[in-house]
Amino acid sequence: MEIIISDKKETNTKDADSKYLARHNSPLDIEIGRSKGSHIYDVNEKEYIDFLMGWCVGNVGWGVEEIRFAIQNSTAPTYVYPEMLYRPWTELGELLASITPSNLEKCYRATGGTEAVEAAMQIAMAYTGRGKFISIEGCYHGNSIATLSIGSSENREQFGNLLPHCYKLNPPLDIKAAERIEKKLKNKDIAAFIMEPVICNLGILIPDGDFMQLIQSLCKKYGTLFVIDEVATGFGRTGKMFASEYFDLKPDILCMGKGISGGYADLAATITTAKIAKSVKSKVNLYSTYGWHPLSVEASLAYLRYLVDRKESLLENVNSMGEFFRMRLNQMDFKYETEVRGLGLAIAVDTGNEKYAEKIRKKCLEERLLVQSDGPNILMFPALNIDEDTAEEGLSVFENCL
Ligand SMILES: Cc1ncc(COP(=O)(O)O)c(C=O)c1O
């Protein structure tokens, strides 16, 4: 018997995409062919410099041979069932416990950042017996109803009903903001305070150290869990393995995604303390059928071992190249008053004008450089191992596009 899969073949990928894929935005007009280091190539071998790395995903560059080799030669079972024992799960859990801050040691498996943050919210609710949250206004923590509820208030305008009782703290994130929020924490009905330690989604907003310390101690005082979302900032992006280290944070829960597998697999994790995991054991059932699929774990382990083995030199590069980016960007002539912000290789150019930022992004794309615009900000997340020649080449393109 002949099986006809589809006789409705579109002649080119762009048409087929617009016919079969439901999307919010139109895709970029680049049909990806291959990627290598800090470059991507379309199917016709047109080369682009990638200053985005999939938004903090490809941290050690695309297509690292050793990692590809490990994945291609994988003997992991093509098998999925959360109820089994699986040795590499324990290896990944142990590795994550060894590199995350403080006494975080128990991992929940997840497939992506949204699921990891959702898990953190459930754990916090179960542990505290409370149902309210505090987060930072305008932030992004994922795309489920719960994570949209703790995200920007604009989501509420779009969807109407989201989770109630999600309070938003407006920047600037200084001592005064922490004191303002104490009034809410005092009621002892907030399950968790959730934030990125460096807020990529607000144009690389770096909170004051005093704010972070005070929030952490207020959470402790009033029994609110302190949840840090390192989905974007984790695994070296800001010049430390985790951005929490800049503030000496000891979060109760830490969420990881994106750079956890360097773009080689879909995988994420939520890590918490043994005490919290024990307390919520009978209440929180995060089944996640595909969470930590053996093939994804194999890929993530190969990548993380590569990253950890080179930790010192990679972080050194992040810090020196971060300085280089900021120095070069500060030398450039922009149309409006501009502020360059950044920590390590999480970089924002606040151009002060949304239309101008978008115009620059489009021009860069024409000139084969990938950057992102977000409101008035242009964001850059280059590979952690980018070399100075590639950085300069991309920055010169950028300068010519202003
Ligand atoms: C800080 C942060 N948290 C969570 C998420 C959600 O991750 P994912 O898209 O993997 O669900 C994102 C995605 O951009 C993010 O930047």
Side-chain angles (χ1 to χ4, degrees), residues 110-373:
T111 50
T114 301
E115 194 182 346
V117 180
E118 168 80 35
M121 294 176 74
Q122 289 188 32
I123 296 162
M125 290 173 85
Y127 184 74
T128 60
R130 304 172 181 179
K132 300 182 182 179
F133 295 93
I134 301 177
S135 56
I136 309 300
E137 184 56 280
C139 65
Y140 181 76
H141 293 287
N143 231 330
S144 65
I145 291 296
T147 54
L148 285 171
S149 304
I150 56 166
S152 166
S153 294
E154 281 175 17
N155 301 332
R156 210 163 282 272
E157 283 158 30
Q158 209 171 338
F159 288 101
N161 264 345
L162 291 177
L163 291 187
H165 312 306
C166 294
Y167 303 113
K168 309 289 155 64
L169 182 58
N170 279 304
L173 302 180
D174 52 16
I175 276 284
K176 280 190 187 144
E179 286 167 1
R180 263 197 329 272
I181 213 66
E182 184 172 9
K183 293 195 187 91
K184 290 254 180 275
L185 291 167
K186 257 185 188 162
N187 293 332
K188 295 195 175 177
D189 57 0
I190 308 289
F193 188 105
I194 304 182
M195 66 181 293
E196 287 185 273
V198 169
I199 307 176
C200 293
N201 294 294
L202 286 177
I204 320 296
L205 179 71
I206 305 170
D208 286 359
D210 292 350
F211 167 85
M212 295 302 259
Q213 283 303 320
L214 185 55
I215 286 291
Q216 178 166 263
S217 66
L218 289 175
C219 283
K220 205 172 186 141
K221 183 169 171 190
Y222 298 114
T224 291
L225 293 193
F226 187 42
V227 177
I228 288 293
D229 179 349
E230 293 246 22
V231 168
T233 52
F235 304 97
R237 173 57 48 199
T238 64
K240 298 227 184 245
M241 188 57 100
F242 291 94
S244 298
E245 295 167 38
Y246 280 106
F247 307 100
D248 196 20
L249 300 182
K250 295 178 176 55
D252 298 298
I253 304 175
L254 188 138
C255 306
M256 296 164 272
K258 292 186 185 271
I260 194 173
S261 76
Y264 293 91
D266 45 349
L267 190 137
T270 310
I271 193 164
T272 189
T273 63
K275 181 180 165 206
I276 293 173
K278 187 174 175 203
S279 159
V280 302
K281 191 173 162 56
S282 62
K283 298 178 200 154
V284 173
N285 179 6
L286 295 158
Y287 186 78
S288 193
T289 298
Y290 273 99
W292 293 21
H293 185 288
L295 294 172
S296 303
V297 171
E298 192 110 340
S300 179
L301 275 172
Y303 153 81
L304 282 175
R305 283 174 183 148
Y306 179 95
L307 179 93
V308 170
D309 281 352
R310 290 159 185 76
K311 179 182 161 184
E312 245 169 70
S313 61
L314 271 174
L315 294 184
E316 219 175 275
N317 196 60
V318 174
N319 289 312
S320 61
M321 291 311 298
E323 266 175 41
F324 178 71
F325 268 80
R326 287 192 291 280
M327 183 267 293
R328 284 287 286 111
L329 290 164
N330 273 316
Q331 288 170 343
M332 296 181 190
D333 279 329
F334 292 87
K335 198 166 156 188
Y336 303 95
E337 201 176 316
T338 294
E339 188 189 357
V340 177
R341 288 189 295 268
L343 197 56
L345 285 171
I347 301 153
V349 183
D350 186 343
T351 67
N353 185 297
E354 195 168 333
K355 282 195 183 138
Y356 181 47
E358 177 58 4
K359 220 166 153 181
I360 295 171
R361 181 196 69 81
K362 280 194 177 146
K363 183 75 185 145
C364 286
L365 189 63
E366 277 169 34
E367 300 301 324
R368 306 186 186 185
L369 171 72
L370 287 182
V371 295
Q372 182 63 277
S373 64

Side-chain angles (χ1 to χ4, degrees), residues 36-176:
K36 183 93 192 124
S38 289
H39 293 92
I40 62 166
Y41 301 82
D42 76 3
V43 283
N44 302 312
E45 282 291 301
K46 191 169 157 187
E47 184 185 82
Y48 293 79
I49 297 176
D50 190 356
F51 275 2
L52 275 182
M53 305 312 286
W55 191 292
C56 308
V57 177
N59 279 6
V60 296
W62 304 119
V64 177
E65 287 303 328
E66 283 149 275
I67 304 171
R68 284 195 83 123
F69 185 80
I71 297 166
Q72 277 158 358
N73 289 291
S74 162
T75 52
T78 48
Y79 177 85
V80 159
Y81 187 51
E83 309 286 326
M84 290 280 173
L85 285 171
Y86 180 56
R87 185 76 197 175
W89 281 357
T90 67
E91 290 167 15
L92 181 57
E94 188 179 356
L95 195 154
L96 293 173
S98 73
I99 61 173
T100 46
S102 188
N103 58 341
L104 298 169
E105 69 173 84
K106 292 262 191 188
C107 278
Y108 290 86
R109 296 170 296 105
T111 50
T114 301
E115 194 182 346
V117 180
E118 168 80 35
M121 294 176 74
Q122 289 188 32
I123 296 162
M125 290 173 85
Y127 184 74
T128 60
R130 304 172 181 179
K132 300 182 182 179
F133 295 93
I134 301 177
S135 56
I136 309 300
E137 184 56 280
C139 65
Y140 181 76
H141 293 287
N143 231 330
S144 65
I145 291 296
T147 54
L148 285 171
S149 304
I150 56 166
S152 166
S153 294
E154 281 175 17
N155 301 332
R156 210 163 282 272
E157 283 158 30
Q158 209 171 338
F159 288 101
N161 264 345
L162 291 177
L163 291 187
H165 312 306
C166 294
Y167 303 113
K168 309 289 155 64
L169 182 58
N170 279 304
L173 302 180
D174 52 16
I175 276 284
K176 280 190 187 144

